[in-house]
Amino acid sequence: MAFDGLFTRGMVHELNNNILGGRINKIHQPSQNELLFLIRANGRNQRLLISAHSSYARVQITNESIENPSEAPMFCMLLRKHLEGYTIEEIKQPDLERIIIFVIKGRNEIGDLCNKLLIVELMGKHSNVFLVDPERTMILDCLKHISLASNRVRILLPGQPYLAPPKQEKSNPLEADTTDLNQVNFTTIESERIIVERFAGLSPQFAKTLTDETAFITAMQKAKAHQYLPAIMQVAGKEVFYLWPFPKAQEVQQFESLSTLLDRFYFGKAERDRVKQQTQDFEKILQNEKQKNELKLSKLQKQLKDTDKADIYKKYGELLTANLHVITKGMKEAIVSDYYHELQPEIRIPLDVLRTPNGNAQHYFTKYQKLRKSVQYIHEQSKLAEAEISYLEGIQQQLSTASPKDLLEIREELEDEKYLRARTSKKKKVNRKPQLEKYSSSDGFEILVGKNNLQNEFLTMKLASKQQIWFHTKDIPGSHVVIQHETPSETAILEAATLAAYFSKARDSSNVAVDYTQIAHVKKPNGAKPGYVIYDHQKTIYVTPNKELVLELRK
């Protein structure tokens, strides 16, 4: 990826064309590092996403639906107070820095006209968002607070003056002439480093494509004219994006705008990060419970090996009973004939000196009976432990593909199953229908996907009719998938199986086995945990999870 200074310039141009003069109607903070502005501009509602994430920092117009928390964080509340109802008067970039400045004007609570600056710094782990009073050049607040102890160059706290990041003394590549380029020897392997060190706003990735003076000048001419061909491509085995396709890049996908490119590139990545932030409090609990059951299963398997001694204890008891006449109390061992073993006529049997001969025999029979009974118990407990591990792995898989809106249902389930302590709340739980994800096959058949156990159970046990086709990865945790038709096409079956493989633990695998059968053959055993079913009359199809297909089928 390369959200460098030149890409930032392109994004500023796109934002000016779309939201300049727009009115900020609402502000949300979907996660710790993200802000979402709902803006009315050019006769339509638009969503401006600002991310200060260390890996996904960006500014863009988004078409993705993003779930917002029920309670807004403090920084979001402050932005609402100062910016809601205000108008975006200017969007600019200082030089070719990875900084975007929004100049916002409006009237405050007493009706006075005032200006505010929303400054976004897109600098990897140092990314941040500032609300600044331009008259005093003072930080009203910022998304990430940085004290002098963490940064000796700048103090980033409310009430402190806003100081721009230190400038790098580099030339503007858009103004480069032949003299500037003569100082770059494009024929050496050092040219990439020299370009990055000498010219502002150019990432090493892009600099690597500027193989000669002509390529450099042509690219800068396109940038000055804002002639972009936004593309996602494979370069050296990695997926990257930029303003144009790179030479020799593979699997190039072009987009109509930088924002649609970013929506596609970050599809799932940023959302999974939001989920991770919101699930940190119980992911560790799930892992601990899983390890606890794995340890229990290991101990049970060891105990099961010990039960192999049961037949030996039975043999000892029988041999002692047959030889009571030659054994006396106080003996430490009995050497008796072993009529079970032809090649070894005698056997030594340890004795308890405090027991009578018959007492020793009965002691061995008792140990035999205990071990025999424990075998059934061990098998029962092993099945319970295995089921528990499978259930927990299923929840972990669901978290890996969950959207923020799925998390409430997962949390409620874990609270009901006593893995999590119920949160104290005056609000009663709302009995609402789970919201299933909808897809449409390339030939028009509707496909529904459950993303957690509550959705899976609702889809399979309540919503789907008995003749509809149900899909699930074979012996692997994953989503329940149903085609909403009794006689779907072969294409729909193949694509539904691909969705089942994608929303499973085998997402990153190939040639994944997916079972499918009619809903009539899917049953939930009595007392089973949410989402657990058994099925028969199934057929198996092998597919490879396909992210591009998932995007194409999404409704």
Side-chain angles (χ1 to χ4, degrees):
M1 64 191 77
F3 207 119
D4 58 12
L6 206 60
F7 193 97
T8 304
R9 181 177 180 273
M11 180 55 72
V12 168
H13 176 72
E14 186 170 295
L15 295 176
N16 273 303
N17 287 338
N18 284 276
I19 62 171
L20 186 64
R23 184 179 186 272
I24 300 172
N25 288 331
K26 194 68 177 175
I27 303 173
H28 298 287
Q29 188 173 345
S31 68
Q32 180 181 348
N33 297 309
E34 291 179 317
L35 297 167
L36 186 66
F37 289 68
L38 305 184
I39 299 169
R40 181 70 179 178
N42 297 323
R44 58 195 180 102
N45 297 324
Q46 303 190 66
R47 290 183 293 207
L48 174 69
L49 176 66
I50 298 175
S51 173
H53 191 279
S54 58
S55 300
Y56 314 138
R58 66 198 187 281
V59 176
Q60 65 166 109
I61 305 235
T62 183
N63 290 317
E64 292 290 334
S65 57
I66 301 174
E67 193 79 7
N68 297 303
S70 55
E71 295 184 9
M74 290 299 295
F75 184 62
C76 181
M77 295 294 289
L78 183 78
L79 292 179
R80 288 178 178 178
K81 175 184 175 182
H82 286 279
L83 301 181
E84 283 188 353
Y86 281 39
T87 302
I88 300 173
E89 293 290 324
E90 187 180 0
I91 307 172
K92 57 186 179 180
Q93 174 193 27
D95 300 322
L96 278 179
E97 298 288 346
R98 288 174 293 167
I99 299 173
I100 299 179
I101 301 174
F102 296 85
V103 180
I104 302 172
K105 293 185 179 181
R107 295 189 180 276
N108 60 22
E109 59 271 14
I110 60 175
D112 292 338
L113 193 64
C114 59
N115 292 351
K116 294 293 187 296
L117 299 180
L118 187 71
I119 303 175
V120 185
E121 296 180 358
L122 304 167
M123 300 177 177
K125 66 179 182 179
H126 302 296
S127 298
N128 210 337
V129 182
F130 303 85
L131 180 64
V132 175
D133 179 351
E135 292 185 5
R136 296 175 289 171
T137 322
M138 187 183 79
I139 299 173
L140 297 176
D141 204 353
C142 48
L143 194 59
K144 302 175 184 177
H145 291 183
I146 308 294
S147 67
L148 188 61
S150 302
N151 189 332
R152 296 183 180 182
V153 179
R154 298 195 297 166
I155 302 175
L156 308 179
L157 295 170
Q160 293 293 322
Y162 173 77
L163 300 175
K167 284 191 176 183
Q168 297 178 329
E169 300 301 325
K170 295 183 179 182
S171 301
N172 187 336
L174 301 173
E175 300 171 356
D177 55 23
T178 305
T179 304
D180 295 319
L181 296 178
N182 283 340
Q183 299 177 42
V184 180
N185 187 347
F186 289 97
T187 61
T188 68
I189 59 174
E190 293 291 307
S191 63
E192 173 195 334
R193 179 184 60 79
I194 294 170
I195 289 171
V196 172
E197 290 179 353
R198 186 172 294 277
F199 297 102
L202 306 183
S203 65
Q205 258 179 3
F206 177 55
K208 196 177 291 185
T209 70
L210 304 176
T211 55
D212 55 40
E213 186 175 323
T214 301
F216 190 104
I217 292 173
T218 301
M220 294 310 116
Q221 287 175 342
K222 289 180 181 178
K224 281 193 281 188
H226 293 294
Q227 296 175 348
Y228 306 123
L229 292 172
I232 295 175
M233 57 214 128
Q234 290 287 331
V235 176
K238 292 184 179 180
E239 188 178 56
V240 300
F241 66 79
Y242 205 58
L243 298 166
W244 312 280
F246 291 168
K248 300 181 181 179
Q250 298 177 328
E251 299 179 30
V252 177
Q253 295 176 272
Q254 294 191 337
F255 296 84
E256 61 182 15
S257 69
L258 304 185
S259 290
T260 54
L261 176 152
L262 294 176
D263 266 349
R264 163 58 185 81
F265 187 84
Y266 288 108
F267 170 74
K269 295 184 178 75
E271 191 171 75
R272 283 195 295 275
D273 184 71
R274 284 193 289 272
V275 170
K276 187 175 181 180
Q277 288 181 25
Q278 295 177 43
T279 58
Q280 286 177 346
D281 58 338
F282 57 87
E283 276 186 334
K284 188 174 182 181
I285 293 173
L286 290 174
Q287 186 61 27
N288 288 343
E289 287 292 329
K290 182 167 171 265
Q291 289 174 349
K292 190 189 301 181
N293 279 278
E294 287 171 341
L295 180 62
K296 176 183 177 181
L297 188 60
S298 176
K299 288 181 178 178
L300 287 168
Q301 289 169 345
K302 185 178 179 181
Q303 290 176 17
L304 190 61
K305 287 182 179 179
D306 292 341
T307 61
D308 293 341
K309 298 176 181 177
D311 290 337
I312 296 175
Y313 293 147
K314 179 184 178 184
K315 175 181 173 181
Y316 284 177
E318 290 175 346
L319 291 176
L320 289 176
T321 301
N323 291 277
L324 290 176
H325 60 287
V326 296
I327 304 171
T328 59
K329 185 177 180 181
M331 294 175 63
K332 292 184 179 180
E333 64 177 12
I335 302 174
V336 297
S337 298
D338 185 0
Y339 47 79
Y340 290 102
H341 202 305
E342 295 180 359
L343 300 179
Q344 188 177 340
E346 289 187 335
I347 186 172
R348 294 175 180 269
I349 302 176
L351 300 175
D352 183 345
V353 296
L354 299 179
R355 296 180 189 272
T356 64
N358 186 58
N360 272 291
Q362 294 305 314
H363 177 63
Y364 278 118
F365 283 129
T366 300
K367 291 178 74 173
Y368 162 72
Q369 291 296 338
K370 283 184 177 180
L371 286 177
R372 290 288 295 173
K373 289 179 181 178
S374 69
V375 170
Q376 181 179 355
Y377 172 80
I378 290 170
H379 282 306
E380 289 174 355
Q381 290 299 310
S382 294
K383 284 183 179 179
L384 290 174
E386 287 169 352
E388 194 78 356
I389 291 168
S390 177
Y391 173 75
L392 294 167
E393 286 179 342
I395 295 288
Q396 289 176 322
Q397 179 274 321
Q398 290 164 14
L399 287 176
S400 71
T401 61
S403 65
K405 68 181 176 61
D406 299 326
L407 293 182
L408 181 60
E409 292 171 341
I410 294 176
R411 178 179 278 278
E412 286 180 1
E413 178 189 342
L414 291 175
E415 289 175 358
D416 291 341
E417 296 296 320
K418 309 303 181 186
Y419 292 99
L420 290 177
R421 181 181 298 175
R423 294 177 293 186
T424 51
S425 175
K426 294 181 181 179
K427 295 181 181 178
K428 293 183 179 179
K429 289 184 180 178
V430 180
N431 292 324
R432 59 186 182 280
K433 291 182 180 179
Q435 298 299 307
L436 303 168
E437 289 209 354
K438 296 181 179 181
Y439 295 82
S440 180
S441 70
S442 54
D443 52 359
F445 290 89
E446 184 172 77
I447 304 171
L448 300 181
V449 177
K451 296 288 292 300
N452 57 54
N453 287 331
L454 297 183
Q455 292 178 17
N456 288 337
E457 193 153 301
F458 173 73
L459 172 60
T460 304
M461 298 289 106
K462 295 182 179 180
L463 182 63
S465 67
K466 290 190 175 183
Q467 302 308 313
Q468 290 176 351
I469 309 300
W470 178 90
F471 297 76
H472 194 281
T473 42
K474 185 179 182 69
D475 301 326
I476 297 172
S479 292
H480 294 199
V481 176
V482 173
I483 301 177
Q484 290 276 278
H485 200 279
E486 294 181 3
T487 55
S489 66
E490 290 298 321
T491 298
I493 288 174
L494 179 63
E495 291 175 348
T498 303
L499 286 170
Y502 183 81
F503 291 107
S504 78
K505 195 175 181 181
R507 170 182 286 199
D508 298 322
S509 304
S510 60
N511 206 33
V512 178
V514 177
D515 288 339
Y516 65 100
T517 188
Q518 288 183 326
I519 288 288
H521 303 304
V522 183
K523 303 286 187 291
K524 178 179 180 179
N526 291 333
K529 287 185 177 291
Y532 180 79
V533 295
I534 56 176
Y535 57 90
D536 51 30
H537 292 79
Q538 73 271 20
K539 296 180 181 178
T540 304
I541 188 171
Y542 291 84
V543 296
T544 297
N546 187 331
K547 183 177 180 180
E548 299 305 324
L549 180 63
V550 172
L551 290 172
E552 290 173 11
L553 302 183
R554 219 170 150 202
K555 286 181 109 176

